[in-house]
Amino acid sequence: MSARSFAWLAFLFLLIGSTPAYAHTRSETHSTWTVDGRIVRVGVTVPDLEAARIGPHGGRPSDAAILAYLAPRVGASAGDKACPAAFPPRTVLAATGFRRAELAFDCPGTAPISLRFDAFFDLVPTHVDLAQIQFANGDFVEQLFTADGRTLDLKKSEGGELGDAGLFRFVSMGVMHIFTGVDHMSFLLGLVLISRRLKDLIFVVTGFTIGHSLTLGLAVTGLIRPHAEYIDALVALTIALIGVENIVVSLPRPTKLALATGAVLLAMAALRLLGYGTLPPLLLIGAAIFTTCYLFISGHLQDTGRLRMVVTTVFGLIHGFGFAADLLESRLPPEKLAEILVGFNLGVEMGQLTVVLAVTAVVVAAWRLRLATPRPITVDVLASSLVAVGMFWFIGRSFA
């Protein structure tokens, strides 16, 4: 069997067997708590992708289904007794792409109050809830609810001390975002795959870091507010494009493949004009022109290291908005933005550096032990896999 045949088999296998096109496998929610005397109010913001976990067959759950799931899992207690509901739970208006529920509890007596968040851990053990607690005296604290820490004793937190959500916890969030984000991991694999020399790898990783660091800061500080549904689709497109580029640079005549890739995006723009899909036609047309020109240039240049650094910076801009998606709905306090951004971004850098070094080490070890397949076969198979997965996610997110 030829390398090309093997690559196409890998393509078909991944196309048939790919999982649903979720934007990120990282499972997160956000809760805001207000403690005013004996009354505890909480609003829980749930991304649509998380809400789908409790919906019928992964679909959109009803408001009643969301409340029925959250009500027994989110609450407060005074001493050893659970606080009764102050009013029935309800759903309220939320930003596009999110669902929001509000609950309230009446905690009589003088016993210390504890908060409890036990939702989604039964579905995703690595789930994280970023909680913000506001006290009547104006004190503000933050807490990360995890499977290992589902309760918070307010007596220990009151007074303005930061709970468990310190700098290192946000570093951990950034690292886990990389390790549990299949789409970002796939893109990093493409960067390693296309880098034939250490210098090339340094160029692409540097460009990617510059790009995502810039937009992560702009998005979280509110200077730019991207559409999450567009970003998720574009992240998937970058994965497909890095796969196509790996194939293009090995072809003697890359023009046809470059034009074909652009034609797919133009066809999606035409479908959008007919009412199918969610991405704006101008965005798809612009992506088609950019893709065609870049693949054409990349396929004809002998040394594209510096050019690739510029392009991966553009890709990094897109991924930076994807990284910020976890924090955009958190209503982060201005005085904590610097700590959160630095911690999360450091975590992302540590995570991606670990992935890049691990993949590189495996490749070097396989080569030295003479276990590696010829590079053309490896590139064809892995690049075709990236194209398959990227296009599957891109089309799924574009028409979802």
Side-chain angles (χ1 to χ4, degrees):
M1 179 181 294
S2 67
R4 295 286 177 187
S5 299
F6 189 81
W8 279 108
L9 284 178
F11 180 97
L12 294 175
F13 174 80
L14 285 169
L15 189 62
I16 295 172
S18 294
T19 56
Y22 294 124
H24 302 286
T25 57
R26 177 70 171 169
S27 178
E28 294 176 355
T29 51
H30 172 247
S31 59
T32 54
W33 305 72
T34 302
V35 182
D36 188 0
R38 55 188 282 176
I39 301 299
V40 177
R41 295 182 176 85
V42 56
V44 182
T45 301
V46 183
D48 283 345
L49 293 177
E50 299 302 323
R53 300 181 191 276
I54 60 177
H57 307 293
R60 180 180 175 84
S62 64
D63 289 348
I66 290 178
L67 295 178
Y69 179 78
L70 291 177
R73 295 173 173 84
V74 179
S77 60
D80 297 329
K81 295 183 179 180
C83 302
F87 59 75
R90 62 191 180 188
T91 56
V92 295
L93 185 65
T96 302
F98 295 86
R99 309 288 291 277
R100 184 172 176 83
E102 288 188 350
L103 306 91
F105 309 94
D106 187 353
C107 300
T110 59
I113 296 176
S114 296
L115 309 181
R116 177 177 60 90
F117 189 93
D118 197 24
F120 295 99
F121 301 122
D122 56 329
L123 304 175
V124 185
T126 57
H127 180 79
V128 172
D129 179 76
L130 177 60
Q132 297 176 319
I133 303 99
Q134 180 78 45
F135 295 95
N137 62 2
D139 287 342
F140 181 93
V141 299
E142 294 176 312
Q143 172 76 18
L144 293 181
F145 286 111
T146 65
D148 297 327
R150 309 186 188 193
T151 61
L152 172 64
D153 186 346
L154 294 186
K155 187 176 182 180
K156 297 179 180 179
S157 298
E158 197 166 8
E161 295 181 3
L162 189 64
D164 289 334
L167 174 65
F168 291 105
R169 293 303 298 270
F170 288 105
V171 171
S172 176
M173 284 181 63
V175 172
M176 292 306 298
H177 190 96
I178 290 292
F179 286 167
T180 61
V182 179
D183 43 9
H184 298 307
M185 291 270 281
S186 300
F187 184 79
L188 290 174
L189 172 62
L191 294 185
V192 175
L193 186 65
I194 203 167
S195 303
R196 295 175 177 266
R197 301 167 299 181
L198 178 60
K199 182 176 70 172
D200 296 336
L201 185 59
I202 292 174
F203 276 136
V204 296
V205 171
T206 300
F208 186 66
T209 297
I210 293 172
H212 78 66
S213 298
L214 177 62
T215 50
L216 175 60
L218 291 175
V220 172
T221 54
L223 296 177
I224 297 178
R225 188 76 171 187
H227 289 275
E229 62 272 25
Y230 300 165
I231 297 303
D232 290 336
L234 291 177
V235 166
L237 180 60
T238 64
I239 297 170
L241 290 184
I242 199 70
V244 174
E245 185 183 2
N246 274 281
I247 298 174
V248 162
V249 295
S250 65
L251 297 177
R253 296 180 180 179
T255 304
K256 291 184 179 179
L257 185 55
L259 292 175
T261 304
V264 171
L265 295 173
L266 289 177
M268 292 182 64
L271 289 174
R272 182 66 184 90
L273 291 173
L274 295 176
Y276 300 98
T278 58
L279 295 182
L282 288 179
L283 177 62
L284 290 167
I285 293 172
I289 296 173
F290 169 82
T291 297
T292 303
C293 293
Y294 174 62
L295 293 178
F296 181 81
I297 295 173
S298 181
H300 284 84
L301 288 181
Q302 294 296 323
D303 189 355
T304 58
R306 288 175 175 78
L307 171 65
R308 193 167 289 125
M309 179 179 176
V310 175
V311 175
T312 52
T313 300
V314 175
F315 289 170
L317 295 174
I318 297 172
H319 282 253
F321 287 128
F323 293 146
D326 290 336
L327 304 176
L328 283 176
E329 284 301 312
S330 298
R331 303 176 186 177
L332 301 171
E335 66 272 15
K336 296 297 297 179
L337 281 180
E339 181 182 14
I340 292 170
L341 278 175
V342 170
F344 190 81
N345 205 42
L346 281 175
V348 167
E349 296 310 317
M350 292 169 60
Q352 76 173 24
L353 183 60
T354 301
V355 171
V356 169
L357 291 178
V359 173
T360 304
V362 170
V363 171
V364 172
W367 177 74
R368 290 186 176 181
L369 295 174
R370 298 183 180 180
L371 298 176
T373 57
R375 179 178 173 84
I377 295 179
T378 303
V379 170
D380 278 344
V381 172
L382 294 181
S384 297
S385 300
L386 290 175
V387 174
V389 172
M391 288 305 298
F392 179 80
W393 284 334
F394 177 61
I395 294 174
R397 298 172 189 179
S398 299
F399 290 91

